Amino acid sequence: MRDSSQLRPLDFDLGAQVHADGSCLIRLGNTHVLCSASLEEKVPGWMKGRGKGWITAEYGMLPRSTHTRTDREAARGKQQGRTVEIQRLIGRSLRQAVDLDKLGERQLTLDCDVLNADGGTRCAAITGAWVALAVALKQAGLEAALVRQVAAVSIGLVERGEGRRGLVLDLEYEEDHLAAVDCNLVAARATAEGDPGFAGGDLELVEFQSTGEGRSFTRGEALALVDLGLAGCAELMARQRAAVG
Amino acid sequence: MRDSSQLRPLDFDLGAQVHADGSCLIRLGNTHVLCSASLEEKVPGWMKGRGKGWITAEYGMLPRSTHTRTDREAARGKQQGRTVEIQRLIGRSLRQAVDLDKLGERQLTLDCDVLNADGGTRCAAITGAWVALAVALKQAGLEAALVRQVAAVSIGLVERGEGRRGLVLDLEYEEDHLAAVDCNLVAARATAEGDPGFAGGDLELVEFQSTGEGRSFTRGEALALVDLGLAGCAELMARQRAAVG
Amino acid sequence: MRDSSQLRPLDFDLGAQVHADGSCLIRLGNTHVLCSASLEEKVPGWMKGRGKGWITAEYGMLPRSTHTRTDREAARGKQQGRTVEIQRLIGRSLRQAVDLDKLGERQLTLDCDVLNADGGTRCAAITGAWVALAVALKQAGLEAALVRQVAAVSIGLVERGEGRRGLVLDLEYEEDHLAAVDCNLVAARATAEGDPGFAGGDLELVEFQSTGEGRSFTRGEALALVDLGLAGCAELMARQRAAVG
Amino acid sequence: MRDSSQLRPLDFDLGAQVHADGSCLIRLGNTHVLCSASLEEKVPGWMKGRGKGWITAEYGMLPRSTHTRTDREAARGKQQGRTVEIQRLIGRSLRQAVDLDKLGERQLTLDCDVLNADGGTRCAAITGAWVALAVALKQAGLEAALVRQVAAVSIGLVERGEGRRGLVLDLEYEEDHLAAVDCNLVAARATAEGDPGFAGGDLELVEFQSTGEGRSFTRGEALALVDLGLAGCAELMARQRAAVG
Amino acid sequence: MRDSSQLRPLDFDLGAQVHADGSCLIRLGNTHVLCSASLEEKVPGWMKGRGKGWITAEYGMLPRSTHTRTDREAARGKQQGRTVEIQRLIGRSLRQAVDLDKLGERQLTLDCDVLNADGGTRCAAITGAWVALAVALKQAGLEAALVRQVAAVSIGLVERGEGRRGLVLDLEYEEDHLAAVDCNLVAARATAEGDPGFAGGDLELVEFQSTGEGRSFTRGEALALVDLGLAGCAELMARQRAAVG
Amino acid sequence: MRDSSQLRPLDFDLGAQVHADGSCLIRLGNTHVLCSASLEEKVPGWMKGRGKGWITAEYGMLPRSTHTRTDREAARGKQQGRTVEIQRLIGRSLRQAVDLDKLGERQLTLDCDVLNADGGTRCAAITGAWVALAVALKQAGLEAALVRQVAAVSIGLVERGEGRRGLVLDLEYEEDHLAAVDCNLVAARATAEGDPGFAGGDLELVEFQSTGEGRSFTRGEALALVDLGLAGCAELMARQRAAVG
């Protein structure tokens, strides 16, 4: 059995989408997300003329990425609430990675499509999208705009079931289902050339969402969850750097 | 100028929707949300036959609740991502207030419509919806199902502007706009007759969402935000109890 | 019991929407409609460059304004036929109040949202929207564009039930339900500074819609309905003038 | 030039839709509407088990029925407000023709599709739909359910233009455009075997909608419009009877 | 019984839509399609400034064109897959008729609405739309842009039923239903003044779609179907020329 | 340069979707389609009680499968006409592979999602979906229902460009773009245990769609395209059998 503070096996398959400006298939256990970055020389109407860029994200799950088939959102003519919530989180998180002034009037669209789902797809999407983004900016000679490294992980308190118990890192679908408290933590760290005011590249929080499922939780529990999540993100970032090279 | 840890003037106008099973117009400064609870003797198809109830929420803003007019979602034929995200949060939070087994095969729908918006509408909606819910359950002789009190407040770190600075409770629209870190905290406490395993009615967290807007934040800052939010919720809960009587 | 030709208790709560250019909560018995006017320095594309303004209206009912909860139109992704029909009527009626040339290239949007429904919501919306419109035009120094006063009332022939019978003014929901003939009448009168060709400020008809519900009606009955409706509008207009001051 | 109180040339082409239970192409000048009645042995869910029938109507315009091409509603994914308003009027009017108890648990759907539009399409649709309905009921041996004859005509006050002036019957598109007051009147008369309480088969009103376009109108003008409309409907009904035979 | 290689009775009623630039009601047995051509002095955004024109088509069926009533697509808010597929085929086929450079920056929209359906509606729509198109181009003095004549027919292999058997031309609904192989063939021929590189005006294929329904088919069968379809199109073209005259 | 009658490098990666009943990632050059089969113990409402099964297909392209990013259909709220046309073709073709009576009251849904697009995605989807279907039926012990093998390939006539010319098999995106005639051919062959009336397992056509792009084509050209397509399908089928084992 995997240790409570251990990530699942992880790898990044770069260039998985041949036409993208940057792309990566992130595989974290049985959670597989295909991430691509598309760079366009234009910004949305409401941002024109400000000399700044924009970053947006879209998220989807293939119908049979899940245990039983999920309806195709394109066929239903509507994205689910969960989808919209996740793609807003991905966009917000990745905008922290980039200096939008240095990006100039360009838009980066990050597409994150889940090929196989086994828990933690939104966190894997953020971690993988950062790799796709980093590749796309390098490719385009815009690495100066990449000022922070961003990664995300799920953590939770599991009190039932046969598997891992207590404070747990990187939950699989089954663990997530059993968790009494369920969190997602997005962390950032300044890159070598990055924001000098961001002292020494320490890992800080960008987003922390924790939800009691059936019970509430104390401030002490919240703090323990934060600490485990930061540790997990530190490890993910080491792996991202190795992948981008 | 209001103190950093002070709530805006608050009142609850009960019975504002004459046909509802329970209703309340919550006014928190210039943020006014009309909340109603509708109790139906049926549950969604996927919950039938389990002897349990269900709670769901919907949220909307009147087009001219905002500084400039916002498009009507019914006319656009689509709820915005933000709307969907908020109504999911309200539903999740209020399900913590009720023992769904004791509710029986009934559905409670909480409608939260913003008449005037000046920051913190989702938190005011949660705080007001709990009052509407408590009234509806009493009315229906189902008070045994009300096992927890739930309230929510916004907190933030404000580093710019003419007004309140630093760690700030219950942000107005203008403050929210300036905040470097922006949080919503939902807290719960067992009611007198409530869940006995929930020791002594202490205030705990149900949901904590914190987002860095343009910068990241440390675990120490996260903790200070949690503490201020819990204090704000304690005060809101005293006011809720007085309103429900 | 209310007299057959008597309106329900009526008041106008001005400024109910703090950000609107003009707003008013009209309460006519248990029918409560929040009306706001939003003035924008632009017109729809098809009207550009003509030096004329435009007036449009939108109407909605909060889900629990009704006896049993009605589905939220924003969630269904579609406005009902009844909604569309009513907002077309409100827009058409209020355009009679304004000299669109004097308004200049500006658009006024009238939002009418029903908080509580007990019959006659479309008529209350028109009567209240005129007040919001008058306030907005004064506020903006455009009172010269306000050339007519507009109000609306429901009338009907009731032949069943325990309550009022015969020719009846300002129907409640229950009366409307029982009515054999069901009408809405919109009336207009020139304002003091208004259209000089509109002789002496007499009350005239702007719109008259009468529908037989299960039976047809004679021309004599039609005429009696018109007369009662005009009398009701005369009284509503006195109250509007008092509110606007 | 046609006389002010004269209808346009009129004919009914029965059986124009070969599969329909009853159908008729009504041609009133250059306004051509294809009307069909479809009879099904079922009623909408909310009417089941009451032993009563239901009548509903749908209306559409072919894209090139108009002077310049109109967008196809099916392609836009949405019916316009005007369409919805018209089909509600047609359904309401034709329900007056039928004794829903005698119809039994059956649904009649009236489809009215405008092939060529030159003013008065909604009135022509009602007049033609009655013919399709009468044929369908006869065909099905349900003529006892047909208790009233229904027809509709437009009338108006025209004060500008080169053509007919004053009180005018059956307006063409150009006249409608110029009209200061614009009305639609639906009338009914008991059929031979029809409702005995409906004395002597006199023509009465079922629906009267009058709208001031740019000016208001007096009660005297309203009455004159009613009288001209009733006279027009009497003539239309004679023609309907001849067609149905 | 009609011969296997015989078309149904055919006629073209020109000018059936009085406002259209060109129109024609094609009647092929009980399949009746109203076709119109609308010419606009503009092209879609993506074609602007190229000096070329564009041709697009839309297709619809009236709800009661079919044996039992079909839902109205405008009411469902969505065109069916079949509709979209057919209108793409019509547009593609008719673009072969026109030299888009000679058309200049103009758009031709072909609307094909089925009034009565008895098999072969898409082919009748193509054949009728060519007539409407030819009339519209003549009317506008653009006959030089009309470089090819286009017509379409259905063919099939029928192996069951009481009627025609084997290789069959111009299938009725009932035959189509029974067919083991079901094809649509669109053919073109250069017009007198047309494309000189298109030698001698021989009939060639523009589109050939064959589908096995429940069984597959050999290359020999495919060839026989092509030959019968070309013969049918030759006859249709003679009739088109006579109609346009 | 690849020979005119040569397929691109091809492989099948079985089990690419871990939760599916059968799945396969087909890679044909740079065209990569993820195909899965989902087997459910139910059929659509209109098929209930007949003891027969049903097969349906859905198709999608990831936004960055293409050279420049394509809008996400789920975000637009609508599937494009092309998508609908393709998924109808896939479903129709794969229904030929299965004896629906032997399948029993079960539904098989085939999802085909394009990860990378370089021409021929609909044909690759059919070829890959057959492999996913075969795996799913074996897994479920339903191999008796698999009565035919189905594969598809694109062929075309290319008359311009630097690359392959003339009659060409398995077109890449660039070739497809240049083609004067563009075809898709779906072929079937009885499996060993399959339909005994399908003599000797010869390859026959299931679907043949050919479209002239800017020019028409002769019956001789049509026949040559059929022959090349059948040869390509024979090779694809050998590879499918090897993959399924």
Side-chain angles (χ1 to χ4, degrees), chain D residues 2-38:
Chain D
R2 178 156 58 104
D3 191 84
S4 285
S5 59
Q6 201 181 346
L7 295 171
R8 289 176 279 180
L10 166 72
D11 70 79
F12 299 94
D13 179 3
L14 269 70
Q17 284 201 301
V18 298
H19 306 303
D21 301 292
S23 74
C24 135
L25 170 59
I26 176 171
R27 277 182 289 236
L28 183 64
N30 272 334
T31 288
H32 303 171
V33 186
L34 187 48
C35 304
S36 72
S38 297

Short mmCIF file of all heavy atoms in Angstrom, two decimals, chain D residues 2-38:
data_model
loop_
_atom_site.label_atom_id
_atom_site.label_comp_id
_atom_site.label_asym_id
_atom_site.label_seq_id
_atom_site.Cartn_x
_atom_site.Cartn_y
_atom_site.Cartn_z
N ARG D 2 -58.95 49.03 -52.89
CA ARG D 2 -59.90 48.28 -52.08
C ARG D 2 -60.62 49.22 -51.11
O ARG D 2 -60.04 50.17 -50.60
CB ARG D 2 -59.11 47.21 -51.32
CG ARG D 2 -59.91 46.35 -50.37
CD ARG D 2 -59.20 45.01 -50.11
NE ARG D 2 -57.85 45.17 -49.57
CZ ARG D 2 -57.52 44.97 -48.28
NH1 ARG D 2 -58.44 44.62 -47.41
NH2 ARG D 2 -56.28 45.13 -47.88
N ASP D 3 -61.89 48.94 -50.86
CA ASP D 3 -62.68 49.73 -49.94
C ASP D 3 -62.21 49.50 -48.49
O ASP D 3 -61.71 48.44 -48.16
CB ASP D 3 -64.15 49.29 -50.10
CG ASP D 3 -65.08 50.22 -49.37
OD1 ASP D 3 -65.45 51.26 -49.94
OD2 ASP D 3 -65.41 49.91 -48.20
N SER D 4 -62.40 50.52 -47.64
CA SER D 4 -61.88 50.44 -46.27
C SER D 4 -62.44 49.28 -45.47
O SER D 4 -61.79 48.79 -44.55
CB SER D 4 -62.21 51.74 -45.52
OG SER D 4 -61.37 52.75 -45.95
N SER D 5 -63.64 48.85 -45.81
CA SER D 5 -64.24 47.78 -45.03
C SER D 5 -64.30 46.47 -45.80
O SER D 5 -65.09 45.60 -45.50
CB SER D 5 -65.64 48.20 -44.58
OG SER D 5 -66.42 48.47 -45.73
N GLN D 6 -63.41 46.35 -46.81
CA GLN D 6 -63.43 45.18 -47.68
C GLN D 6 -62.25 44.26 -47.37
O GLN D 6 -61.12 44.72 -47.17
CB GLN D 6 -63.31 45.68 -49.13
CG GLN D 6 -63.81 44.71 -50.17
CD GLN D 6 -63.61 45.27 -51.56
OE1 GLN D 6 -63.36 46.48 -51.74
NE2 GLN D 6 -63.71 44.42 -52.56
N LEU D 7 -62.53 42.95 -47.35
CA LEU D 7 -61.46 41.96 -47.20
C LEU D 7 -60.70 41.81 -48.51
O LEU D 7 -61.24 42.09 -49.59
CB LEU D 7 -62.06 40.59 -46.85
CG LEU D 7 -62.78 40.44 -45.52
CD1 LEU D 7 -63.48 39.08 -45.47
CD2 LEU D 7 -61.78 40.56 -44.36
N ARG D 8 -59.48 41.28 -48.44
CA ARG D 8 -58.76 40.93 -49.65
C ARG D 8 -59.35 39.65 -50.26
O ARG D 8 -60.06 38.91 -49.56
CB ARG D 8 -57.28 40.70 -49.32
CG ARG D 8 -56.55 41.99 -48.98
CD ARG D 8 -55.13 41.72 -48.57
NE ARG D 8 -55.05 41.29 -47.16
CZ ARG D 8 -53.93 40.97 -46.55
NH1 ARG D 8 -52.78 41.02 -47.20
NH2 ARG D 8 -53.93 40.62 -45.28
N PRO D 9 -59.04 39.35 -51.53
CA PRO D 9 -59.49 38.10 -52.14
C PRO D 9 -59.07 36.93 -51.25
O PRO D 9 -57.93 36.89 -50.77
CB PRO D 9 -58.76 38.04 -53.48
CG PRO D 9 -58.40 39.46 -53.78
CD PRO D 9 -58.23 40.15 -52.46
N LEU D 10 -59.97 35.99 -51.07
CA LEU D 10 -59.75 34.92 -50.10
C LEU D 10 -60.09 33.57 -50.70
O LEU D 10 -61.11 33.41 -51.36
CB LEU D 10 -60.68 35.18 -48.89
CG LEU D 10 -60.89 34.06 -47.88
CD1 LEU D 10 -59.63 33.85 -47.05
CD2 LEU D 10 -62.05 34.42 -46.95
N ASP D 11 -59.22 32.56 -50.50
CA ASP D 11 -59.68 31.19 -50.76
C ASP D 11 -58.99 30.20 -49.84
O ASP D 11 -57.96 30.48 -49.24
CB ASP D 11 -59.56 30.79 -52.24
CG ASP D 11 -58.16 30.63 -52.68
OD1 ASP D 11 -57.53 29.59 -52.40
OD2 ASP D 11 -57.66 31.58 -53.34
N PHE D 12 -59.61 29.06 -49.74
CA PHE D 12 -59.12 27.98 -48.89
C PHE D 12 -58.83 26.77 -49.78
O PHE D 12 -59.73 26.31 -50.49
CB PHE D 12 -60.20 27.57 -47.88
CG PHE D 12 -60.64 28.65 -46.94
CD1 PHE D 12 -61.75 29.43 -47.22
CD2 PHE D 12 -59.95 28.88 -45.75
CE1 PHE D 12 -62.18 30.42 -46.35
CE2 PHE D 12 -60.38 29.87 -44.87
CZ PHE D 12 -61.49 30.66 -45.17
N ASP D 13 -57.61 26.26 -49.75
CA ASP D 13 -57.26 25.08 -50.54
C ASP D 13 -57.17 23.90 -49.57
O ASP D 13 -56.16 23.72 -48.86
CB ASP D 13 -55.91 25.36 -51.24
CG ASP D 13 -55.42 24.19 -52.06
OD1 ASP D 13 -56.13 23.17 -52.15
OD2 ASP D 13 -54.32 24.30 -52.61
N LEU D 14 -58.24 23.11 -49.52
CA LEU D 14 -58.30 22.02 -48.54
C LEU D 14 -57.41 20.84 -48.93
O LEU D 14 -57.23 20.57 -50.12
CB LEU D 14 -59.74 21.54 -48.37
CG LEU D 14 -60.50 22.27 -47.25
CD1 LEU D 14 -60.78 23.71 -47.63
CD2 LEU D 14 -61.78 21.54 -46.91
N GLY D 15 -56.83 20.17 -47.95
CA GLY D 15 -56.04 18.97 -48.21
C GLY D 15 -54.64 19.25 -48.69
O GLY D 15 -53.97 18.38 -49.25
N ALA D 16 -54.16 20.47 -48.50
CA ALA D 16 -52.85 20.85 -49.01
C ALA D 16 -51.71 20.05 -48.37
O ALA D 16 -50.64 19.93 -48.95
CB ALA D 16 -52.63 22.35 -48.83
N GLN D 17 -51.91 19.55 -47.17
CA GLN D 17 -50.90 18.64 -46.60
C GLN D 17 -51.48 17.24 -46.58
O GLN D 17 -52.43 16.95 -45.83
CB GLN D 17 -50.46 19.12 -45.22
CG GLN D 17 -49.52 20.32 -45.33
CD GLN D 17 -48.68 20.52 -44.09
OE1 GLN D 17 -49.20 20.70 -43.01
NE2 GLN D 17 -47.37 20.50 -44.25
N VAL D 18 -50.92 16.39 -47.43
CA VAL D 18 -51.58 15.12 -47.73
C VAL D 18 -51.68 14.18 -46.52
O VAL D 18 -52.59 13.38 -46.44
CB VAL D 18 -50.92 14.38 -48.93
CG1 VAL D 18 -51.03 15.23 -50.18
CG2 VAL D 18 -49.46 14.05 -48.65
N HIS D 19 -50.74 14.27 -45.59
CA HIS D 19 -50.77 13.34 -44.46
C HIS D 19 -51.57 13.85 -43.27
O HIS D 19 -51.83 13.10 -42.34
CB HIS D 19 -49.35 13.02 -43.99
CG HIS D 19 -48.44 12.53 -45.06
ND1 HIS D 19 -48.73 11.42 -45.82
CD2 HIS D 19 -47.24 12.98 -45.52
CE1 HIS D 19 -47.76 11.22 -46.69
NE2 HIS D 19 -46.85 12.15 -46.54
N ALA D 20 -51.94 15.13 -43.25
CA ALA D 20 -52.59 15.71 -42.08
C ALA D 20 -54.01 15.18 -41.88
O ALA D 20 -54.66 14.75 -42.85
CB ALA D 20 -52.61 17.22 -42.20
N ASP D 21 -54.50 15.24 -40.65
CA ASP D 21 -55.87 14.82 -40.37
C ASP D 21 -56.86 15.84 -40.94
O ASP D 21 -57.98 15.50 -41.28
CB ASP D 21 -56.04 14.64 -38.86
CG ASP D 21 -55.06 13.60 -38.35
OD1 ASP D 21 -55.23 12.42 -38.69
OD2 ASP D 21 -54.09 13.97 -37.67
N GLY D 22 -56.41 17.07 -41.04
CA GLY D 22 -57.17 18.12 -41.71
C GLY D 22 -56.16 19.17 -42.11
O GLY D 22 -55.21 19.42 -41.36
N SER D 23 -56.31 19.78 -43.28
CA SER D 23 -55.35 20.83 -43.64
C SER D 23 -55.98 21.79 -44.62
O SER D 23 -56.98 21.46 -45.28
CB SER D 23 -54.08 20.23 -44.24
OG SER D 23 -54.33 19.78 -45.55
N CYS D 24 -55.42 22.95 -44.70
CA CYS D 24 -55.95 23.98 -45.58
C CYS D 24 -54.89 25.05 -45.80
O CYS D 24 -54.21 25.45 -44.86
CB CYS D 24 -57.21 24.54 -44.90
SG CYS D 24 -57.42 26.29 -44.88
N LEU D 25 -54.73 25.45 -47.05
CA LEU D 25 -53.87 26.58 -47.36
C LEU D 25 -54.79 27.78 -47.53
O LEU D 25 -55.59 27.81 -48.47
CB LEU D 25 -53.07 26.31 -48.64
CG LEU D 25 -52.30 27.49 -49.23
CD1 LEU D 25 -51.28 28.05 -48.25
CD2 LEU D 25 -51.57 27.06 -50.51
N ILE D 26 -54.73 28.73 -46.59
CA ILE D 26 -55.56 29.91 -46.71
C ILE D 26 -54.75 30.98 -47.45
O ILE D 26 -53.59 31.24 -47.13
CB ILE D 26 -56.05 30.43 -45.33
CG1 ILE D 26 -56.83 31.73 -45.51
CG2 ILE D 26 -54.94 30.61 -44.34
CD1 ILE D 26 -57.54 32.21 -44.24
N ARG D 27 -55.39 31.58 -48.48
CA ARG D 27 -54.76 32.66 -49.23
C ARG D 27 -55.65 33.90 -49.10
O ARG D 27 -56.79 33.90 -49.57
CB ARG D 27 -54.62 32.28 -50.72
CG ARG D 27 -53.39 31.44 -50.98
CD ARG D 27 -53.22 31.09 -52.44
NE ARG D 27 -54.24 30.13 -52.82
CZ ARG D 27 -53.99 28.93 -53.37
NH1 ARG D 27 -52.75 28.56 -53.65
NH2 ARG D 27 -54.98 28.13 -53.68
N LEU D 28 -55.14 34.91 -48.43
CA LEU D 28 -55.86 36.17 -48.22
C LEU D 28 -54.96 37.24 -48.84
O LEU D 28 -53.97 37.65 -48.24
CB LEU D 28 -56.03 36.39 -46.70
CG LEU D 28 -56.82 37.60 -46.24
CD1 LEU D 28 -58.28 37.53 -46.67
CD2 LEU D 28 -56.75 37.73 -44.71
N GLY D 29 -55.26 37.62 -50.09
CA GLY D 29 -54.33 38.47 -50.82
C GLY D 29 -53.00 37.76 -50.93
O GLY D 29 -52.96 36.57 -51.27
N ASN D 30 -51.92 38.44 -50.62
CA ASN D 30 -50.60 37.82 -50.67
C ASN D 30 -50.17 37.22 -49.36
O ASN D 30 -48.99 36.93 -49.17
CB ASN D 30 -49.56 38.83 -51.17
CG ASN D 30 -49.45 38.82 -52.68
OD1 ASN D 30 -49.77 37.82 -53.31
ND2 ASN D 30 -49.01 39.94 -53.25
N THR D 31 -51.07 37.08 -48.44
CA THR D 31 -50.77 36.35 -47.20
C THR D 31 -51.27 34.93 -47.35
O THR D 31 -52.47 34.71 -47.52
CB THR D 31 -51.43 37.07 -46.00
OG1 THR D 31 -50.71 38.28 -45.76
CG2 THR D 31 -51.39 36.22 -44.75
N HIS D 32 -50.31 33.98 -47.33
CA HIS D 32 -50.63 32.56 -47.54
C HIS D 32 -50.13 31.76 -46.35
O HIS D 32 -48.95 31.79 -46.03
CB HIS D 32 -49.93 32.02 -48.80
CG HIS D 32 -50.25 32.76 -50.06
ND1 HIS D 32 -49.60 32.55 -51.25
CD2 HIS D 32 -51.17 33.73 -50.33
CE1 HIS D 32 -50.09 33.35 -52.19
NE2 HIS D 32 -51.04 34.08 -51.66
N VAL D 33 -51.05 31.06 -45.68
CA VAL D 33 -50.66 30.29 -44.50
C VAL D 33 -51.14 28.85 -44.66
O VAL D 33 -52.32 28.61 -44.93
CB VAL D 33 -51.26 30.90 -43.20
CG1 VAL D 33 -50.72 30.17 -41.98
CG2 VAL D 33 -50.97 32.39 -43.11
N LEU D 34 -50.21 27.92 -44.47
CA LEU D 34 -50.53 26.51 -44.57
C LEU D 34 -50.88 26.02 -43.16
O LEU D 34 -50.06 26.08 -42.25
CB LEU D 34 -49.31 25.76 -45.13
CG LEU D 34 -49.43 24.28 -45.47
CD1 LEU D 34 -50.66 23.96 -46.29
CD2 LEU D 34 -48.19 23.83 -46.22
N CYS D 35 -52.12 25.57 -42.98
CA CYS D 35 -52.60 25.19 -41.65
C CYS D 35 -52.90 23.69 -41.64
O CYS D 35 -53.55 23.20 -42.56
CB CYS D 35 -53.89 25.92 -41.31
SG CYS D 35 -53.75 27.72 -41.43
N SER D 36 -52.47 22.99 -40.61
CA SER D 36 -52.81 21.58 -40.51
C SER D 36 -53.22 21.24 -39.10
O SER D 36 -52.82 21.89 -38.14
CB SER D 36 -51.64 20.70 -40.93
OG SER D 36 -50.65 20.76 -39.94
N ALA D 37 -54.07 20.23 -38.99
CA ALA D 37 -54.49 19.73 -37.69
C ALA D 37 -54.03 18.29 -37.56
O ALA D 37 -54.23 17.49 -38.47
CB ALA D 37 -56.02 19.81 -37.58
N SER D 38 -53.37 18.00 -36.44
CA SER D 38 -52.90 16.64 -36.17
C SER D 38 -53.58 16.16 -34.90
O SER D 38 -53.48 16.80 -33.86
CB SER D 38 -51.38 16.63 -35.97
OG SER D 38 -50.72 17.03 -37.14
#
